[in-house]
Every structure is written in structure tokens, then in C-alpha cells.
Amino acid sequence: AAAMCRNPEFWKFWGVSGEENASHDMRLTLDIKSRSELDHSESAKEKFIKTFRAPFMKFMIARGKTT
């Protein structure tokens, strides 16, 4: 999640301008105080995959990028 929030391609995908905004939106969407909570909360982790990781990977693949 942290690497994703640092990625300018993710900023484009999520419609934010920078790591701080991406991180803030991610925490709000997942209802967590810190991205590190993803290591301990199965429900937050599942929501992260469904809401962020899977759609972002599709976004990247559609643009011919894998990372």
C-alpha cells in the first residue's frame, strides 16, 4: 500500500495529487488510521485488494505497464 501511494501512476488512477493525498484517501476508504493496519486486519486487507490493488493493476495493464 505504501509503494502504491508513492506511485505517480496510482495518483492518476485514483485522481489525487501526491503521496500524502493518496495515503489519506486510502486510510479513509479503508477506515484505518495507518496503512500498517493492513498487516493485521483481514477485512481491511480484503477491501484494499478489492478497492485499490485489483483495479489499479487492471489500470496499469490497460496502459501496457506491469509495475
Side-chain angles (χ1 to χ4, degrees):
M4 191 178 289
C5 287
R6 287 189 297 268
N7 186 336
E9 292 291 332
F10 179 72
W11 307 343
K12 291 177 195 171
F13 163 74
W14 196 247
V16 295
S17 59
E19 179 180 355
E20 210 170 294
N21 292 325
S23 179
H24 180 268
D25 279 8
M26 187 176 286
R27 290 190 313 272
L28 283 177
T29 301
L30 299 175
D31 193 29
I32 58 176
K33 293 187 186 336
S34 167
R35 290 173 296 191
S36 66
E37 289 180 48
L38 293 171
D39 295 334
H40 309 288
S41 170
E42 276 303 312
S43 63
K45 189 183 301 185
E46 288 173 16
K47 191 171 182 181
F48 167 75
I49 292 168
K50 182 179 177 183
T51 306
F52 294 100
R53 182 178 285 158
F56 180 57
M57 294 311 299
K58 288 179 184 177
F59 172 87
M60 294 296 284
I61 290 167
R63 281 150 185 75
K65 300 177 182 180
T66 57
T67 58

